[in-house]
Amino acid sequence: MIQEKSIEKSVEDLIYEDAESYRDVIATVDQEGNRNWIFPRMPKGIWYQRRKIVSYFLLFLFFTVPFVKINGNPFLMMNFIERKFVILGMPFWPQDFHLFVLAMISFFVFIILFTVAFGRLWCGWACPQTLFMEMVFRRIEFWIEGDAKAQKRLNEREWDTQKIWKRSLKYSLFYLISFMISNTVLAYIFGIETVWEMMTAPPASNWSRFTFMIGFSLVFYFVFAWMREQACIIICPYGRLQGVLLNKDSISVMYDWIRGEPRGRRKKNDVEQEKGDCIDCKLCVQVCPTGIDIRNGTQLECVNCTACMDACDTVMNKIGKPKGLIRYDSHEGIKTQTAFKFTPRVIAYMVVLTAVLCVFGFSLASRNAVEATILRSPGVLYQETEDGFIQNVYNIQIVNKTKDEYPVEVELVSHDGEIQLVGDQLSLPAEGIAKGVLLVRIPKEEILQQKTKIELEVRAKGELLDKSSSNFLGPMVIHYKD
């Protein structure tokens, strides 16, 4: 069972008088370098309700997509171990690696474009770490242990019956959910049928798979029970990228320093002009799951979860001030009080992304369900037969990306010649590979040079599946001048 360290300082104590001190410390580490366990208050408000709707919809998709089939194929499967990928029911093989490269380029360009324009909106609304941590595990914690103050008291008290019961129940539920998450992730890798076999088979008959499943579950349990916000601060590279990608025009959760400063305590109907709208209640700090003070500006730890926005809007309602002291905006927008606009940098990224998507779409549309590769056998010379033919030996490999199984034929379409299959007839298995050896025979009088390009077609039941070209070697032809 995981043991938390006692909290010597609350989140509020981490706000230093020096406005620049936040650049030198993080809320999750004390001055001695020890872990500070964050106990955020339970967020409440319209933005939290919106995030709950989006989060539960995405969680529903996460757990149901592995069961969805299209034409007998999984909706999505990323089997890196066996190099088999299925996207939107379309299987992709190593021969489609160029499509994978284009898809990755499109993905990274999209990340850059999205971050430049909208900051870490992904982190707060769609990142799996945030969804599970804030909408599943954190809510279980609130349900069992109570709000932030109750959690602190439970953490500091001696181990008695109540503490043992609550911690046992919490961490048991944590592992149960981690087990479900890990098996769902495995379903995206190996397929739901394979995962079901792993779950139902006796451990004694399959120790390797059983151990792998348990180990994978423990990884997720460790992330959500112990690492928690540290996964966003220390492990995730996306948070580091924002320091490079964000600019003064990027949308993010921002504190309106023009309206809020100078901050200070005030009564509800106080009309003093010397103070800004921020009453320095620090509720925005107390609800932050990473323990930062958003009033210090954009920080690496901020995941744009909007908890501070809801907390601040609640206070503004109570003191009779307009909401939005903390809101979605850009640094330039707050400074100049202007609306968001697309900058030349964002437009340039959009042009590049559009071009890459067009290339990817064209490549995807022109992708063949069956691909044939026909190459001359290395190290084998041509042969001249007694009946006046030149003969070359070829190796053929046909990749079938569909679930259909049928015999195939190879035809020579560029020359008058013959094709003989060495061995049995080529039979193309469903989602498999067929290999064979061909003898291509062309009349000697049609070979006018040492190397001739030939065209071959692969057909099944009269239907053209793919085309392939190769070189045909013959004797050296000497041309004499008159």
Side-chain angles (χ1 to χ4, degrees):
M1 182 176 296
I2 296 176
Q3 304 288 338
E4 299 96 341
K5 295 183 178 179
S6 297
I7 307 302
E8 297 180 358
K9 293 185 179 181
S10 63
V11 176
E12 297 94 316
D13 296 330
L14 295 172
I15 307 301
Y16 295 85
E17 294 182 358
D18 179 6
E20 294 296 317
S21 63
Y22 78 95
R23 300 183 186 277
D24 303 320
V25 297
I26 57 176
T28 55
V29 178
D30 62 21
Q31 294 182 346
E32 286 74 34
N34 299 317
R35 169 84 177 271
N36 257 335
W37 200 270
I38 300 295
F39 293 99
R41 296 181 60 169
M42 185 174 182
K44 297 177 181 178
I46 185 63
W47 286 102
Y48 185 65
Q49 295 302 320
R50 292 169 179 170
R51 285 180 58 226
K52 283 171 62 176
I53 295 173
V54 174
S55 298
Y56 292 141
F57 173 72
L58 293 176
L59 290 175
F60 172 79
L61 291 180
F62 173 77
F63 285 110
T64 56
V65 163
F67 295 92
V68 178
K69 301 283 186 178
I70 298 179
N71 297 325
N73 290 318
F75 184 84
L76 179 65
M77 186 171 72
M78 308 296 288
N79 192 340
F80 294 94
I81 299 177
E82 298 177 2
R83 295 183 299 172
K84 182 178 180 181
F85 308 93
V86 181
I87 302 176
L88 302 179
M90 300 176 60
F92 291 84
W93 291 67
Q95 288 78 6
D96 299 313
F97 184 74
H98 63 288
L99 294 176
F100 179 77
V101 172
L102 286 174
M104 289 298 100
I105 292 175
S106 303
F107 176 71
F108 286 117
V109 173
F110 176 78
I111 288 179
I112 294 172
L113 167 65
F114 194 84
T115 306
V116 167
F118 304 106
R120 295 183 70 174
L121 192 67
W122 158 266
C123 295
W125 291 79
C127 176
Q129 169 69 18
T130 304
L131 295 184
F132 282 109
M133 188 67 251
E134 301 303 322
M135 296 300 172
V136 179
F137 291 92
R138 192 87 73 184
R139 289 182 65 84
I140 291 175
E141 209 163 47
F142 288 138
W143 172 58
I144 296 176
E145 298 184 353
D147 205 346
K149 292 182 180 180
Q151 292 179 24
K152 291 178 184 178
R153 289 194 300 268
L154 183 67
N155 184 73
E156 294 170 354
R157 70 189 295 176
E158 297 295 331
W159 284 96
D160 55 12
T161 304
Q162 185 180 14
K163 184 172 181 177
I164 293 175
W165 160 248
K166 288 186 176 182
R167 290 294 168 86
S168 299
L169 177 60
K170 182 179 78 169
Y171 289 126
S172 297
L173 291 176
F174 276 15
Y175 182 76
L176 177 62
I177 297 174
S178 300
F179 183 79
M180 294 171 58
I181 296 173
S182 65
N183 282 280
T184 304
V185 173
L186 289 176
Y188 281 100
I189 299 176
F190 301 109
I192 190 65
E193 293 83 4
T194 303
V195 173
W196 180 252
E197 180 184 348
M198 293 168 61
M199 295 176 62
T200 55
S205 64
N206 200 346
W207 278 112
S208 59
R209 288 188 176 184
F210 179 76
T211 304
F212 181 76
M213 181 189 300
I214 298 299
F216 210 48
S217 302
L218 289 174
V219 169
F220 282 99
Y221 174 75
F222 176 74
V223 169
F224 293 113
W226 175 253
M227 287 297 296
R228 300 162 76 91
E229 73 283 340
Q230 299 297 309
C232 302
I233 299 174
I234 299 175
I235 299 176
C236 180
Y238 186 52
R240 311 284 176 176
L241 283 176
Q242 75 163 345
V244 179
L245 299 177
L246 294 186
N247 56 47
K248 60 183 180 179
D249 296 307
S250 301
I251 297 294
S252 187
V253 174
M254 303 286 291
Y255 164 69
D256 190 341
W257 68 91
I258 296 178
R259 173 185 154 190
E261 300 296 327
R263 67 187 76 157
R265 299 273 180 181
R266 61 190 301 174
K267 296 181 180 179
K268 182 175 181 179
N269 297 319
D270 193 349
V271 293
E272 290 185 26
Q273 299 300 317
E274 291 80 8
K275 295 181 180 179
D277 287 354
C278 178
I279 64 173
D280 202 24
C281 64
K282 296 185 174 65
L283 282 179
C284 57
V285 183
Q286 296 172 26
V287 298
C288 180
T290 58
I292 68 168
D293 189 342
I294 192 61
R295 298 172 297 177
N296 288 328
T298 303
Q299 298 160 61
L300 179 147
E301 299 95 325
C302 180
V303 295
N304 283 208
C305 69
T306 71
C308 56
M309 294 169 54
D310 279 328
C312 188
D313 286 346
T314 301
V315 175
M316 291 298 105
N317 283 335
K318 290 181 179 180
I319 65 174
K321 294 292 183 179
K323 295 190 295 185
L325 181 60
I326 301 176
R327 62 182 184 269
Y328 276 121
D329 208 331
S330 66
H331 182 278
E332 190 67 15
I334 292 177
K335 182 178 179 181
T336 62
Q337 298 298 303
T338 56
F340 171 76
K341 60 181 180 180
F342 287 100
T343 62
R345 184 182 181 187
V346 174
I347 295 175
Y349 282 136
M350 292 179 66
V351 171
V352 174
L353 178 61
T354 302
V356 173
L357 289 176
C358 289
V359 174
F360 176 70
F362 175 79
S363 301
L364 190 63
S366 59
R367 167 182 175 269
N368 289 333
V370 176
E371 289 190 2
T373 302
I374 304 176
L375 300 173
R376 286 191 67 258
S377 297
V380 180
L381 298 177
Y382 68 91
Q383 293 179 332
E384 292 189 44
T385 63
E386 295 180 355
D387 52 355
F389 282 84
I390 303 295
Q391 178 175 285
N392 279 227
V393 181
Y394 292 84
N395 294 324
I396 181 172
Q397 177 177 289
I398 308 174
V399 178
N400 183 14
K401 306 171 187 176
T402 70
K403 289 186 173 294
D404 298 324
E405 180 178 351
Y406 36 71
V408 294
E409 300 176 350
V410 183
E411 298 181 3
L412 179 65
V413 296
S414 58
H415 295 77
D416 291 331
E418 301 174 356
I419 292 182
Q420 296 179 358
L421 179 64
V422 178
D424 299 331
Q425 183 182 15
L426 280 175
S427 180
L428 193 57
E431 293 186 337
I433 299 176
K435 297 181 180 180
V437 178
L438 301 176
L439 296 178
V440 179
R441 294 158 44 88
I442 300 179
K444 185 176 181 179
E445 58 270 15
E446 292 193 22
I447 305 302
L448 304 179
Q449 51 189 357
Q450 189 177 12
K451 184 183 293 185
T452 304
K453 185 177 181 180
I454 60 174
E455 301 287 340
L456 302 104
E457 292 182 351
V458 178
R459 294 180 174 272
K461 301 177 180 179
E463 180 183 353
L464 177 63
L465 299 179
D466 195 16
K467 295 181 179 181
S468 181
S469 61
S470 187
N471 291 321
F472 188 90
L473 297 184
M476 183 179 296
V477 179
I478 301 177
H479 299 278
Y480 294 96
K481 294 184 179 179
D482 295 336

